[in-house]
């Protein structure tokens, strides 16, 4: 049994009128890439905000290497070796790469009178060299692409000697080849012992880079330590939505009249979905808890997520 690098123990968080998290417990091992999955509003970002000292939990503890952490502000999390890469990068466009990496804790010289730009750039270059040596620490951050700016955030986490890096939907604005590059960086970081918590709605990416997952629904953990190498995507999605995805074609009805047809539907949740619903049978989602969808053209084929 590997000792946990990070443990959430019985975390609950209530906002006025909303219970965002209820008794959330799970562990992340050293050097593990751990997915945190769930539908919109499941509580993923709230949990990461607790981890990064932005929110305080109503109940429960966060432990790093077995020690309970008091995370009252982001600086506490930084000191505990926790870094957060946000979807919306919090960088100052007119500052250089190195200045952004040292934002809030610049290196000083002449008894604290001046910022030591040269030393900042040297250390920034050192951290960047581990992941992308092509990035110039002296370049204004606004001249970099989003993917490179994300790499700068990761390098900043390395400067802080982060042991845990949480990424909340890091690839939402990246192209597939930029994702490939980020995936390479993440895998390399994990191999060096850094634990990564990876939040994404893109299942293909999750299954490519992550080893295990915690699945959340309505603020609760519904799947703990799910092994992504041995679990099918559809089973993970079923856990997330609380329903089984049932694709069953009833050939006996293949000649029945078409009453609903969808071609290449894409939303933020599904990609390129096509189906034909014929009179007398359904082809679609069926709830775990609810009875099978009614077999009638005049009614809905069942919940569609
Ligand atoms: N500051 C807040 N005040 C009140 N309610 C909040 C606050 N932040 C989050 N919530 C609520 O807590 C619940 C969990 O939200 P959260 O943003 O953590 O979900 P999520 O899993 O990150 O969703 P998404 O995938 O859409 O990013 C939601 O019901 C949300 O409306
Ligand atoms: Mg979120």
């Amino acid at each position: 049994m590997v000792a946990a690098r990070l443990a959430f123990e019985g975390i609950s968080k209530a906002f006025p009128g909303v219970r965002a998290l209820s008794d959330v417990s799970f562990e992340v091992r050293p050097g593990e890439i751990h997915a945190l999955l769930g539908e919109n509003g499941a509580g993923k970002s709230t949990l990461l905000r607790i981890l990064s000292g932005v929110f305080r939990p109503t109940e429960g503890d966060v432990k790093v290497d077995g020690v309970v952490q008091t995370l009252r502000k982001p600086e506490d999390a930084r000191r505990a070796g926790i870094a957060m890469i946000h979807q919306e990068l919090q960088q100052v466009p007119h500052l250089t790469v190195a200045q952004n990496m040292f934002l809030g804790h610049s290196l000083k010289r002449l008894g604290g009178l001046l910022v030591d730009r040269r030393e900042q750039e040297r250390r920034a270059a050192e951290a960047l060299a581990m992941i992308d040596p092509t990035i110039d620490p002296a370049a204004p951050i606004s001249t970099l692409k989003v993917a490179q700016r994300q790499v700068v955030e990761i390098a900043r986490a390395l400067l802080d000697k982060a042991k845990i890096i949480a990424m909340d939907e890091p690839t939402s604005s990246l192209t597939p080849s930029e994702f490939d590059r980020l995936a390479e960086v993440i895998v390399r970081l994990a191999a060096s012992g850094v634990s990564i918590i990876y939040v994404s709605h893109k299942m293909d990416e999750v299954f490519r880079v992550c080893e295990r997952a915690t699945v959340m629904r309505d603020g609760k953990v519904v799947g703990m330590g799910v092994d992504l190498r041995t679990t099918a995507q559809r089973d993970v999605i079923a856990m997330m939505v609380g329903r089984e995805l049932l694709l069953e074609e009833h050939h006996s009805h293949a000649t029945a009249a078409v009453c609903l047809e969808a071609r290449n539907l894409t939303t933020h949740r599904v990609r390129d979905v096509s189906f034909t619903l014929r009179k007398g049978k359904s082809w679609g989602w069926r709830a775990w808890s609810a009875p099978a969808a009614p077999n009638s053209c005049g009614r809905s084929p069942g919940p569609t997520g």
Side-chain angles (χ1 to χ4, degrees), residues 91 96-99 101-102 120-139 141 144 147-159 181 185 188:
Q91 292 164 333
T96 66
V97 167
Q99 283 168 330
M101 285 170 68
F102 282 91
Q120 286 193 170
E121 281 172 17
R122 192 189 66 75
R123 290 208 209 164
E126 229 172 58
L128 284 164
M130 288 188 244
I131 36 185
D132 188 347
T134 66
I135 297 176
D136 175 7
I141 197 111
L144 270 54
Q148 291 175 308
R149 288 171 47 199
Q150 224 144 17
V151 166
V152 171
E153 282 296 292
I154 297 171
R156 177 185 162 133
L158 294 182
L159 265 186
R181 179 90 188 97
V185 169
R188 206 139 30 91

Side-chain angles (χ1 to χ4, degrees), residues 176-223:
S177 67
E178 286 172 336
F179 165 74
D180 289 344
R181 179 90 188 97
L182 183 71
E184 225 176 83
V185 169
I186 291 173
V187 168
R188 206 139 30 91
L189 278 181
S192 75
V194 176
S195 302
I196 315 270
I197 304 189
Y198 191 86
V199 172
S200 175
H201 288 277
K202 298 181 182 172
M203 283 298 146
D204 290 342
E205 295 182 357
V206 166
F207 272 76
R208 247 185 73 191
V209 298
C210 301
E211 295 146 40
R212 295 194 308 153
T214 293
V215 184
M216 295 182 61
R217 191 167 72 238
D218 298 332
K220 300 185 187 81
V221 172
V222 291

